Amino acid sequence: MEHVTKSPEETKNLGHFLINGLSFEKRKGAIVIALEGELGAGKTTFVQGLARLLGIEAKIKSPTFNLIKKYHIKLPKRLQKTKLKILNSRFLYHLDCYRLKNHKDLLVLGIKDILKNKENVLLIEWPERVKKILPPKHIRIKFDHINKNTRKIIIK
Ligand code: ADP
Ligand code: MG
């Protein structure tokens, strides 16, 4: 699936496409979403949109100082009968590997347990730095900066 968005708001709304277009039922552990793209490409903006969709009220910023942040999913009533409910996800983790040199730094954060738990959604910025921890079945989203307000976003 390829999308061209012309504003941050349009990128935030792509969460809907992701949830509706993909099947998560057969997964063994957490839903893992790898977000690729340069600085400013829109990865964090996308996370903000998905978090809003999942009823997370906290403001999501790039976890610059903390490598990883955890949020509680609180599905809005109107979404509880939709596919989102099937996901049964309870926690969203936002991981930013920009400052990371080695995937081993993630082990102390308990990444193995986070990945094992089916109740988790794990969004990873700069996933190419932690390839070794990515499960075989993960979703890849690639963000391309086209111009000031335009981004090309490919969901694989
Ligand atoms: P990243 O996490 O990939 O470094 P951010 O999401 O933090 O990127 O930043 C993207 C920046 O680009 C934000 O300042 C956002 O307002 C701006 N922007 C402009 N147009 C778009 C768009 N179509 N989609 C996403 N962000 C956009
Ligand atoms: Mg970011």
Side-chain angles (χ1 to χ4, degrees), residues 18 27 29-35 46-47 50 54 67-70 73 89 91-97 106 109-125 127 130 133-135 138-139:
L18 179 74
R27 71 186 193 278
I31 294 169
V32 178
I33 305 171
L35 308 169
F46 176 84
V47 176
L50 189 66
L54 297 176
L67 189 59
I68 192 160
K69 288 198 102 179
K70 179 185 186 181
I73 291 171
S89 300
F91 306 105
L92 181 147
Y93 286 87
H94 183 201
L95 172 63
D96 190 334
C97 300
L106 292 179
L109 296 173
I111 194 73
K112 289 262 162 77
D113 288 329
I114 293 171
L115 286 166
K116 257 190 243 157
N117 191 341
K118 281 187 87 168
E119 293 181 322
N120 295 336
V121 179
L122 174 61
L123 291 143
I124 310 177
E125 298 192 36
V130 294
I133 64 117
L134 296 176
H138 65 272
I139 297 156

Side-chain angles (χ1 to χ4, degrees), residues 15-52:
H16 285 281
F17 286 93
L18 179 74
I19 301 292
N20 290 325
L22 298 168
S23 123
F24 301 103
E25 284 86 18
K26 285 189 195 118
R27 71 186 193 278
K28 288 212 182 75
I31 294 169
V32 178
I33 305 171
L35 308 169
E36 300 170 4
E38 293 305 309
L39 270 183
K43 303 181 294 296
T44 301
T45 301
F46 176 84
V47 176
Q48 288 166 346
L50 189 66
R52 185 174 67 188

